[in-house]
Amino acid sequence: MSLLPVYEVVESVLSALKSSPQVLLHAPAGAGKSTGLPLEILKRADFSGRIIMLEPRRIAARSVANRLAVQLNENTGQTVGYRMRSETKVSTATRLEVVTEGILTRMLQQDPMLEGVSLVILDEFHERSLQADLALALLLDVQAGLRDDLRILIMSATLDNQRLSSLLPDVPVIISEGRSFPVTRNYHPLPAYQPFEQSVATVVLRLLQQEQGSVLLFLPGSGEIQRIFGLLKGKVSADTDLCPLYGALSLVEQQKAIESSPFGRRKVVLATNIAETSLTIEGIRLVVDSGLERTTRFEPKNGLTRLMTQRISQASMTQRAGRAGRLEAGICWHLFSQEQAERAADHSEPEILNADLSSLWLSLLQWGCRDISQLHWLDMPPVASLAVAKSLLLQLGAVSHHNQLTSRGRKMAESGSDPRLAAMLCAGLEQGTDALATAAMLTAILEEPPRDGQPDITYWVEQRQTQWLRRAKQLARNMNGNFGEPTSGLAAMLLVHGFPDKIAKNRDKHGRFQLANGLGAMIDDEEKLSDESWLVAPSLLQNSRNPDARILLACPLDIEQLLQQQPDLFSEQSIVEWDDNKGTLRAWKRLQCGSLVVKAQLLAKPSDEQLQQALLNWLQSEGLQALNWSPEAVQLCTRIQCAAKWLPEIQWPAVDNDSLMDSLDHWLMPFLISVRDLKGLKQIDLLPALASLLDWQQRQCLDNELPIYYTVPTGSRIAINYFSDKPPVLSVRMQEMYGEQQSPSLAKGRVALVLELLSPAQRPLQITQDLAAFWQGAYREVQKEMKGRYPKHLWPDDPANTAPTRRVKKYS
C-alpha cells in the first residue's frame, strides 16, 4: 500500500487541511485515494472527531470499508465502519465511517452541527450525483454558519476543476498521479447487421483467445449482462469464470466479481458503469467497452422518469480504458469508431439537471431553506423540475399552500425515504401496526424491485422475501412504529397515499390504461392485471418508442372503497361537451379522480355560459381550422401581422394561431351567444370577431396605412393582397395605371406596393415595385408586343403622362 501514488501527496493534503476549510484532491483511478489516504489522515492528522467518507454507491462503500479494515487487521465495524440504507456496521470505537449519500444527508438533517465529526470526505465526486451536490451545498452552509472548524475534502478521478474552482475560488488543489501501466486502445465498431449482444459476445471470445488475463466488459444494464452471460456460458474455456456485477446483485455475487481469481483461473466481469471508478476489481488486464450506459432522465412535463441508453462521455471512456492498466500493460477494445469517440461529450451531465427533485426540495425545506439561491450550487437546480417537485409535495400533503412543511411533511423528511414512499409510510403509521408493516414492505419492494416476473405487487408482499422483510422492519423503526403483519389487502389504499397521480383506469380490457394525471400506461395483455377496471401503478417506465408508459408494478384498486376512504381525491364537475357523432352539445355531471371519469350522469339543458365554454373547449381540441375562415378574415389577420412588422411603434394584438387559441374567450366568446350546434358555429362571421381585437386607434391606423383597397387613377377600388412572408400585391390592368408616375406605398411610405400589371385579358404582363423605372425601360418591349396582340387598345408612348382608361376599345 505504501507504494500507492497518493502517498506522495499525503503531506500536502494534511497541510492543506490544517489551513483551508475545503481541499480538492484530483487523483486518477489507481492512485489509492479511497483505500490509502483515509487511513493516513486518520493516523497523522490532529483531528479529535470522526471522519465521514461519502461513497456514491453501496457496493463501493462496503468494499472500501472492508479494504480499509483489512489494512488495520481488524473486522469492519471497529476502527473503520460503514452505514448504508439497509446495513450498518459501526461501534463506539469507530473513527472512520464510510457512508452512502442518503445517509450523509440524513446525518446532517439530524445534527446540522455534525458534533464529533472533524472531516467529511466526498469521494468519487466527479460522478456528480444529486445527493453529492446536495451534501456539498449543505456542508458549505454548515461551515459558513455553524462550524468553521469542519473540514471538507473533495476527491475525484476526473474532476471538473473549473466549475469547482469558480464555486470555491480559494480552495487548494492537490494533484496526485495515478498508478497505471500503458493501455493500448483499439476501436472495433460493431457490425450493424448483427444483434448487439451477439456481436459483443463474439468480440469477448475473440479477445480471450488472443490475449492472457481477465476481462472487464462494460455494458449498459443488467438486461444486457444477463443475455450476454447466457451467450458466453459454455463457450468460454473451463478455466474462465463469468461474473456479473451490478447494484442489485447479492453481496456474495458482487464479491466474487471484485476479488482476485484463484490461481490458474481467469474471469470475465460483466459490469455496468458501477465499475468505472468506484470499485477496484482485481486481476483485470483486458477491457471491452460497449461505449453505452443506462441512465434515467426525469421529464417535468409528465412527471415520469424515462430510462435511456446513451453514449458515454470521453471522461468515462478514459476511466474504462484505465481499468486495463492497473497491474501491467493492458488492452482496451472500444466497440465504436474513433470518430464517435471524438464526437462524445467531455463529461457526463450532472444528475441534478435531469432528476426528480422532490426529495431534494423536501430536504431543503427540512433544512429551513425555502430559496435555493441561499445555498451554493455547482449547477443550479432547474426551475421546471423544482416546480413539479413543489406541486407533488403539495399533493402528498408534505407542504402547505404557503410552501411550509406540514407535520406530515416533517415526518416524511425525517423518515429518510423518497417523498412518495415516505407519504405511504406516514399513512401506514397513522392506521396501525399492520398498515405500517404493509407500507414498509411496499417501500422495501419499490426500493429494490424484482427484476422480472409477476407485476402484481401484492404477490411480492405475500412472498416475505428476507431482504425486503429486513428492510421493512428497519423502515418501521425509522418511523418509530411497531411492525405488525404485512397484509396484501391493505396495499392498494396505502399505495394511493404516495401515488395518487398513478391511479389508472382501464381503457380497453387489453392492457391499456389511463392515469389520473392524464398520461397513458400499458401492461402486457396476457397479464391478469390487464383485465382489472382500476389499478394503482407505483412503478412505471417511460421509453421513447411508445407514448404510453410501461407498468412494471401495480395492484388492483377498489374505486368505491377509495371514494369512501379518501374522498378528497375526487371532485364533482358539471361539464358541457361537444358530441362529435351528433354534432351537438351535451351536459354531464361527472365524478372525477384527477382526469379520470369515475361516474357520469347526463344533465338537462345547460346554461348559455356552459354552452359557450363547451364550444371553446371543443375548439381547443379541434383547432381554429374548424371555424369558417372567409378570405376577408384571413386578410385581416395577415394585415395585422404585417402592421406589427412595418409599424412597430404601435402595439398590435398577436393574431398567430397559438395566440388566437389562447385568447378565444376574449375575441370569440361574445359571438357564441346564440350558437347551439355545429351548423351555427360554422356560420359565425369571423371578420367582426377578429376586428374586436383592435381598439379605435389601431383600426384607424390599419385602415389608413394598410388599406383593404387601393384606388387606382381610373377611380377603381381594387383589393390589395397581403402576405405574411412577402410584400403586398395589387393586380390591375395596365391601362388603369396610366398617369401614375411612381409606385404606390403603404405603412407611412415604408413598404412599396408590388404592382402586377395585367393585359386586357387579365394576364400578367409585368411585376414591379418601381413603376417609374418600368415606364422608362421595360415598358417599350411590352408596348411593342401588346400593340400587335391588342391593336384596338391604348398603348401610349408616354404612359406616365397619359390619362388612364377602363375602356376596352380605343376612342379617338
Side-chain angles (χ1 to χ4, degrees):
M1 293 296 294
S2 61
L3 298 177
L4 290 172
V6 78
Y7 280 88
E8 297 177 8
V9 298
V10 167
E11 294 294 342
S12 300
V13 172
L14 292 173
S15 175
L17 287 172
K18 284 183 180 179
S19 59
S20 177
Q22 307 100 23
V23 177
L24 175 57
L25 173 63
H26 180 197
K33 63 182 182 301
S34 304
T35 55
L37 182 61
L39 291 182
E40 286 299 305
I41 295 174
L42 188 65
K43 181 169 63 176
R44 299 173 56 183
D46 187 21
F47 288 140
S48 59
R50 289 171 295 146
I51 298 174
I52 303 294
M53 183 160 77
L54 176 72
E55 287 291 338
R57 306 170 192 270
R58 283 182 291 164
I59 181 174
R62 189 189 293 115
S63 177
V64 166
N66 288 338
R67 291 170 72 96
L68 291 169
V70 166
Q71 292 177 61
L72 297 175
N73 293 316
E74 294 181 353
N75 294 322
T76 311
Q78 293 178 273
T79 304
V80 179
Y82 62 81
R83 295 178 191 263
M84 57 190 66
R85 186 171 65 194
S86 57
E87 190 178 355
T88 297
K89 281 192 177 182
V90 295
S91 67
T92 55
T94 301
R95 295 182 58 211
L96 171 59
E97 290 186 22
V98 185
V99 304
T100 49
E101 292 171 330
I103 299 296
L104 176 58
T105 304
R106 193 172 178 192
M107 291 170 71
L108 281 162
Q109 296 283 14
Q110 292 174 345
D111 177 18
M113 289 286 290
L114 281 184
E115 293 282 0
V117 175
S118 296
L119 170 67
V120 178
I121 302 174
L122 305 179
D123 195 14
E124 307 295 355
F125 194 77
H126 64 274
E127 294 193 11
R128 292 294 309 281
S129 67
L130 174 66
Q131 287 294 328
D133 274 15
L134 173 61
L136 178 59
L138 297 184
L139 286 167
L140 292 175
D141 201 37
V142 170
Q143 282 185 328
L146 299 172
R147 289 278 311 277
D148 57 3
D149 64 321
L150 181 68
R151 295 293 183 258
I152 304 172
L153 174 59
I154 304 169
M155 304 198 304
S156 179
T158 57
L159 204 58
D160 185 353
N161 283 331
Q162 185 176 1
R163 193 176 294 266
L164 264 167
S165 297
S166 62
L167 179 67
L168 306 169
D170 300 323
V171 65
V173 179
I174 299 166
I175 298 175
S176 169
E177 298 299 325
R179 184 184 69 176
S180 62
F181 293 87
V183 175
T184 303
R185 297 173 67 175
N186 299 311
Y187 296 89
H188 298 273
L190 298 178
Y193 60 83
Q194 196 172 32
F196 171 77
E197 285 88 351
Q198 184 64 59
S199 297
V200 173
T202 301
V203 168
V204 171
L205 291 171
R206 187 166 79 242
L207 185 59
L208 286 169
Q209 289 174 351
Q210 294 179 10
E211 300 289 342
Q212 297 298 312
S214 292
V215 177
L216 174 55
L217 168 60
F218 283 101
L219 294 166
S222 59
E224 290 85 355
I225 288 174
Q226 291 165 358
R227 288 190 289 274
I228 293 175
F229 183 97
L231 290 170
L232 293 175
K233 193 173 182 180
K235 294 182 180 177
V236 296
S237 60
D239 65 346
T240 302
D241 298 317
L242 297 175
C243 304
L245 180 59
Y246 51 90
L249 289 174
S250 68
L251 176 59
V252 173
E253 291 171 306
Q254 291 175 355
Q255 285 301 122
K256 182 182 177 183
I258 295 169
E259 293 172 351
S260 298
S261 296
F263 180 75
R265 299 192 65 78
R266 66 200 298 210
K267 63 183 175 181
V268 177
V269 179
L270 300 89
T272 60
N273 58 4
I274 192 174
E276 270 182 29
T277 57
S278 299
L279 293 170
T280 297
I281 301 175
E282 301 292 347
I284 298 299
R285 180 179 168 265
L286 310 171
V287 167
V288 177
D289 173 20
S290 69
L292 300 172
E293 65 181 352
R294 185 128 319 126
T295 186
T296 56
R297 185 177 294 269
F298 181 69
E299 303 283 0
K301 65 178 182 292
N302 60 26
L304 293 180
T305 297
R306 183 158 54 95
L307 195 62
M308 298 172 53
T309 301
Q310 64 181 23
R311 290 276 173 199
I312 60 173
S313 67
Q314 292 188 35
S316 290
M317 293 175 197
T318 302
Q319 287 299 315
R320 292 183 176 189
R323 286 288 169 178
R326 291 292 186 88
L327 301 175
E328 57 184 304
I331 295 170
C332 174
W333 284 8
H334 295 292
L335 305 186
F336 45 89
S337 68
Q338 188 166 358
E339 182 188 5
Q340 287 175 311
E342 291 167 352
R343 289 204 311 264
D346 291 339
H347 295 274
S348 301
E349 279 197 321
E351 187 183 4
I352 199 169
L353 300 181
N354 300 307
D356 177 357
L357 299 183
S358 56
S359 62
L360 178 132
W361 185 241
L362 185 61
S363 292
L364 292 181
L365 292 177
Q366 185 186 12
W367 190 250
C369 173
R370 295 167 62 188
D371 178 0
I372 59 170
S373 64
Q374 293 173 349
L375 298 178
H376 298 287
W377 303 95
L378 283 172
D379 288 278
M380 192 65 72
V383 173
S385 297
L386 268 179
V388 174
K390 293 175 182 179
S391 176
L392 175 63
L393 292 183
L394 180 65
Q395 189 177 19
L396 295 178
V399 296
S400 67
H401 287 281
H402 301 293
N403 208 20
Q404 293 179 322
L405 277 182
T406 62
S407 58
R408 170 175 277 201
R410 281 189 292 275
K411 193 73 177 174
M412 287 168 58
E414 290 164 3
S415 75
S417 295
D418 173 85
R420 289 183 182 273
L421 303 178
M424 185 168 60
L425 288 168
C426 287
L429 182 66
E430 294 161 3
Q431 294 175 29
T433 57
D434 288 352
L436 178 57
T438 307
M441 183 65 85
L442 290 166
T443 298
I445 294 168
L446 291 169
E447 285 179 344
E448 297 286 351
R451 289 280 165 177
D452 48 37
Q454 175 63 253
D456 189 341
I457 199 170
T458 59
Y459 166 82
W460 299 107
V461 171
E462 292 164 359
Q463 292 303 298
R464 312 283 179 89
Q465 290 190 14
T466 304
Q467 78 273 19
W468 289 331
L469 197 57
R470 183 173 60 246
R471 173 60 175 158
K473 290 178 179 178
Q474 182 190 39
L475 288 164
R477 287 195 299 272
N478 290 348
M479 299 299 294
N480 297 318
N482 295 318
F483 193 82
E485 188 72 18
T487 306
S488 60
L490 299 174
M493 293 300 137
L494 289 167
L495 284 167
V496 165
H497 282 279
F499 303 89
D501 52 333
K502 307 296 172 62
I503 294 170
K505 181 183 180 182
N506 206 318
R507 289 191 283 184
D508 61 2
K509 294 294 181 181
H510 292 291
R512 295 177 69 245
F513 289 80
Q514 184 183 359
L515 302 175
N517 61 12
L519 299 175
M522 59 177 289
I523 195 169
D524 288 343
D525 193 13
E526 309 86 54
E527 297 289 351
K528 265 180 61 176
L529 291 178
S530 66
D531 288 331
E532 293 288 341
S533 298
W534 293 86
L535 299 175
V536 55
S539 183
L540 297 156
L541 183 65
Q542 184 82 56
N543 64 51
S544 55
R545 296 186 299 275
N546 197 317
D548 287 349
R550 185 159 62 93
I551 297 174
L552 302 179
L553 289 172
C555 72
L557 177 67
D558 185 333
I559 199 69
E560 292 294 339
Q561 183 186 1
L562 184 65
L563 179 59
Q564 293 174 9
Q565 293 188 8
Q566 297 189 51
D568 55 316
L569 290 177
F570 298 82
S571 62
E572 205 169 68
Q573 300 178 25
S574 294
I575 299 174
V576 181
E577 288 183 334
W578 195 273
D579 188 327
D580 282 316
N581 295 326
K582 296 186 177 180
T584 187
L585 291 161
R586 305 181 79 184
W588 297 89
K589 182 179 181 181
R590 285 180 177 164
L591 179 68
Q592 293 197 195
C593 179
S595 64
L596 303 175
V597 177
V598 181
K599 298 176 182 177
Q601 177 186 353
L602 192 62
L603 295 179
K605 181 180 177 182
S607 67
D608 286 346
E609 291 78 12
Q610 288 175 317
L611 286 168
Q612 291 165 22
Q613 189 58 54
L615 284 166
L616 292 184
N617 292 342
W618 183 79
L619 283 172
Q620 288 285 0
S621 64
E622 294 297 314
L624 292 176
Q625 69 273 9
L627 295 170
N628 180 25
W629 284 89
S630 65
E632 293 79 10
V634 173
Q635 277 289 288
L636 176 59
C637 283
T638 307
R639 287 166 66 211
I640 295 172
Q641 289 176 312
C642 290
K645 288 188 289 186
W646 302 337
L647 303 169
E649 66 273 16
I650 298 174
Q651 187 71 35
W652 297 95
V655 290
D656 58 279
N657 187 79
D658 290 344
S659 298
L660 289 176
M661 287 293 288
D662 291 341
S663 60
L664 279 172
D665 55 344
H666 173 59
W667 64 274
L668 190 62
M669 179 76 88
F671 295 85
L672 297 176
I673 293 174
S674 59
V675 176
R676 290 291 183 276
D677 53 26
L678 190 57
K679 182 180 178 182
L681 188 66
K682 290 286 189 183
Q683 290 175 345
I684 293 175
D685 185 356
L686 293 184
L687 191 60
L690 293 165
S692 68
L693 290 167
L694 301 170
D695 59 28
W696 183 86
Q697 182 183 5
Q698 290 167 332
R699 289 184 194 180
Q700 291 297 307
C701 181
L702 192 68
D703 289 343
N704 291 334
E705 302 301 334
L706 281 81
I708 300 173
Y709 300 100
Y710 180 78
T711 303
V712 297
T714 59
S716 297
R717 293 175 72 243
I718 299 175
I720 301 171
N721 286 316
Y722 290 87
F723 304 91
S724 60
D725 56 350
K726 58 183 181 181
V729 175
L730 181 74
S731 297
V732 57
R733 284 185 298 177
M734 188 176 291
Q735 282 85 359
E736 294 202 59
M737 293 302 293
Y738 293 161
E740 190 88 320
Q741 298 185 356
Q742 301 289 334
S743 289
S745 62
L746 307 175
K748 299 182 179 180
R750 299 171 187 174
V751 179
L753 192 58
V754 173
L755 296 174
E756 184 181 49
L757 301 174
L758 307 176
S759 71
Q762 302 285 342
R763 294 188 177 90
L765 293 175
Q766 184 72 26
I767 295 175
T768 182
Q769 273 186 295
D770 188 346
L771 188 61
F774 170 67
W775 292 143
Q776 293 294 321
Y779 172 73
R780 303 301 172 196
E781 295 298 321
V782 173
Q783 179 193 35
K784 190 185 302 181
E785 182 181 348
M786 289 298 103
K787 274 186 174 181
R789 187 175 298 180
Y790 299 101
K792 295 183 178 180
H793 289 70
L794 180 63
W795 304 105
D797 293 331
D798 185 11
N801 293 297
T802 300
T805 180
R806 294 184 193 142
R807 298 174 183 269
V808 175
K809 293 185 178 180
K810 181 171 65 176
Y811 289 85
S812 56

